[in-house]
Amino acid sequence: GGGYRGGGGRRMYSSSSPTAITKAKKQQPKEDKTEGGGGGEYNPEKTAIVDGKKYRKCACAIVFNDSGSHVLVGERAGKSGSWNLPQGGMEPKETTAEAATRELYEETGISLDSSKNKKNIQVELLSVLENDDAYAYSAGGWLEKKGLAGQRLEFAVFRCKTSADPMEFVNLEGLDGEPAEFTQMKWMSLDECVESVWEAKKKAYEKMRVNVEPIVRKHFY
């Protein structure tokens, strides 16, 4: 898949072409859901080490509207007033782009194949942010019981070629066997998105806001 290249601490980006998305079902729930399946170690292939601690790898979809002025966010089911980008745990060998595309479809019904979308909405994958340890955040619950310090986000950037009300074209029922994640969705500015996210994720979102700017300038301005 596509992603980033370069070294020496420089952030470099490259566009990615959509790839076949794995149909494997996620074996773990979201960080705020009750964990099932008993005990045992969390699959190390689905983790990242940050400062000596183990974090669950979690793909996140940044979906800009057609003008690049707003991003698609959802109000979390059971957590009124808490909004965030579509996200979910990565499977072994999944790229960031693959996992974020899968999560976007499962949680919002939005596919890169416009023929599957309500009103044939067109969505394209623009790029992938370079992985950054600043995207790691602490979370307890079942993650802690599995020996995980929290989650580390990995961001893929998309463009949705409309600025229509998202509730006209999303499907929030939860697809491919996944539970419903959001009760409603809307467009927010990046600043509003950062301010509305769960406090534990705020620093990760703040760093993302800085790192995504070169992509926004390249594709929208």
Side-chain angles (χ1 to χ4, degrees):
Y4 61 91
R5 294 167 180 82
R10 294 176 59 207
R11 291 194 304 273
M12 301 181 69
Y13 308 89
S14 65
S15 296
S16 304
S17 297
T19 56
I21 306 304
T22 177
K23 298 298 183 182
K25 301 293 190 293
K26 296 198 300 295
Q27 298 302 309
Q28 299 294 337
K30 304 290 189 277
E31 76 273 12
D32 58 321
K33 301 245 181 8
T34 302
E35 187 235 339
E41 181 186 13
Y42 191 74
N43 188 335
E45 292 185 42
K46 301 195 286 187
T47 65
I49 304 298
V50 179
D51 293 332
K53 297 179 180 179
K54 192 180 296 185
Y55 289 80
R56 181 193 190 213
K57 294 172 66 175
C58 190
C60 191
I62 311 170
V63 183
F64 284 94
N65 64 349
D66 200 30
S67 67
S69 62
H70 292 73
V71 293
L72 184 67
V73 296
E75 186 176 36
R76 300 167 67 195
K79 294 187 180 294
S80 179
S82 179
W83 297 76
N84 63 224
L85 304 168
Q87 70 169 64
M90 297 177 64
E91 292 296 328
K93 297 181 173 55
E94 263 190 325
T95 66
T96 302
E98 289 171 342
T101 301
R102 174 177 55 77
E103 287 293 336
L104 180 63
Y105 177 72
E106 290 173 355
E107 296 185 354
T108 73
I110 297 174
S111 171
L112 297 187
D113 180 354
S114 61
S115 68
K116 296 181 179 180
N117 295 334
K118 291 182 180 179
K119 298 192 173 184
N120 295 114
I121 292 296
Q122 294 184 335
V123 179
E124 61 178 333
L125 175 65
L126 298 180
S127 192
V128 175
L129 296 190
E130 179 177 358
N131 288 336
D132 193 319
D133 287 348
Y135 298 150
Y137 65 93
S138 299
W142 72 266
L143 290 163
E144 187 175 10
K145 293 177 182 178
K146 288 286 189 179
L148 300 172
Q151 303 201 99
R152 191 194 70 179
L153 300 175
E154 298 188 12
F155 294 97
V157 185
F158 301 82
R159 179 178 191 166
C160 184
K161 298 182 179 181
T162 183
S163 293
D165 182 351
M167 294 303 291
E168 296 180 6
F169 58 84
V170 297
N171 180 346
L172 304 183
E173 296 176 358
L175 302 175
D176 285 350
E178 292 300 306
E181 180 68 18
F182 300 119
T183 55
Q184 61 173 316
M185 303 203 81
K186 66 180 181 179
W187 298 113
M188 280 187 184
S189 68
L190 260 181
D191 289 342
E192 187 181 4
C193 173
V194 171
E195 291 305 312
S196 302
V197 75
W198 181 38
E199 190 65 31
K201 296 182 187 178
K202 201 174 292 288
K203 287 186 177 180
Y205 270 47
E206 288 172 347
K207 188 63 180 288
M208 172 274 291
R209 177 173 55 187
V210 172
N211 291 351
V212 79
E213 277 305 312
I215 298 172
V216 174
R217 289 197 301 269
K218 175 181 178 180
H219 291 279
F220 297 100
Y221 302 116

